[in-house]
Amino acid sequence: MAQPAEPTAPPEPLSTLRLSDIRQEMGDCRRCQLWKTRTHLVFGTGNPRARLMFIGEAPGAEEDQQGEPFVGAAGQLLNRLLERLGLTREEVYITNVAKCRPPNNRNPDAEEIAACRPFLVQQIQAIRPQVIVTLGAVATHALLKAKAPLNRLRGQWQKWQNIPVMPTFHPSYLLRVPQDRIKTWEDMQKVLAVYRGEGTAD
Ligand code: URA
């Protein structure tokens, strides 16, 4: 097991909500400024009992239009990765740390991430995945409250509330830097081993 990203934080309150309750609670969310420019709040998609959960950054233009995470160019690459790993979008769960699109595809800021965090936490607690994969620095830092660069964290098991977390590159980055796809492939082999019960997260 790698060094934890930060000293163990106090556990966040446990939730027994279902995903539909959490979505209902978010409602026509106006807890941060992103509601003003969004088309759809992009809650998440996939198996409510998924054993594997992917967490990205925030919806882009396509996702904002369709109301589904990872349906644009980065999503196509994520789909290809899942397919090559023998996984389907239906068996995993995919969401983002920010549920609404930041204008001009900027990163969600600290306030926006904080406003969405209780819902992300509740989603994880409702699904109780066996493994979480964080896609990119924004998702990794937001979930783990870590500050170390993604390059130091990726490929190394982390933990969030006792759930193994594997940080890896964001598919948008891999579209720009295809030579690093091999590293995400390697990270995902570690994830698959745990997911298939053939390895442990250490
Ligand atoms: N990038 C993300 O981080 N999330 C999406 O849903 C789409 C692109």
Side-chain angles (χ1 to χ4, degrees), residues 52-167:
L52 176 55
M53 181 167 182
F54 289 85
I55 303 177
E57 181 179 315
E62 281 292 322
E63 291 79 17
D64 177 60
Q65 285 300 315
Q66 296 187 38
E68 253 204 60
F70 285 100
V71 290
Q76 302 300 318
L77 185 58
L78 181 60
N79 288 349
R80 293 216 303 274
L81 175 69
L82 291 176
E83 204 177 315
R84 283 179 152 211
L85 292 164
L87 298 166
T88 63
R89 275 178 80 107
E90 291 69 35
E91 78 184 279
V92 303
Y93 193 86
I94 305 175
T95 190
N96 287 302
V97 291
K99 312 297 190 213
C100 296
R101 182 191 182 207
N104 305 316
N105 292 343
R106 65 163 170 75
N107 289 348
D109 68 24
E111 225 171 279
E112 292 154 359
I113 290 172
C116 255
R117 185 177 177 89
F119 302 105
L120 175 66
V121 166
Q122 288 175 359
Q123 282 176 302
I124 300 170
Q125 290 174 337
I127 295 166
R128 290 195 278 135
Q130 189 186 345
V131 188
I132 296 173
V133 175
T134 50
L135 299 168
V138 171
T140 302
H141 291 154
L143 180 69
L144 300 173
K145 297 191 173 169
K147 292 194 173 67
L150 180 67
N151 251 321
R152 280 236 333 261
L153 298 170
R154 69 141 278 276
Q156 313 278 341
W157 285 112
Q158 308 292 328
K159 274 224 161 116
W160 183 84
Q161 292 204 351
N162 259 349
I163 303 172
V165 177
M166 177 57 73

Side-chain angles (χ1 to χ4, degrees), residues 35-51:
W35 71 270
K36 295 179 194 161
T37 47
R38 74 167 178 236
T39 310
H40 289 106
L41 184 157
V42 181
F43 182 69
T45 187
N47 182 355
R49 295 177 195 279
R51 290 190 294 116

Side-chain angles (χ1 to χ4, degrees), residues 150-186:
L150 180 67
N151 251 321
R152 280 236 333 261
L153 298 170
R154 69 141 278 276
Q156 313 278 341
W157 285 112
Q158 308 292 328
K159 274 224 161 116
W160 183 84
Q161 292 204 351
N162 259 349
I163 303 172
V165 177
M166 177 57 73
T168 193
F169 290 120
H170 192 286
S172 299
Y173 168 82
L174 296 175
L175 286 170
R176 297 193 304 274
V177 188
Q179 62 271 28
D180 274 349
R181 290 181 191 181
I182 181 72
K183 294 183 186 162
T184 284
W185 182 254
E186 288 164 3

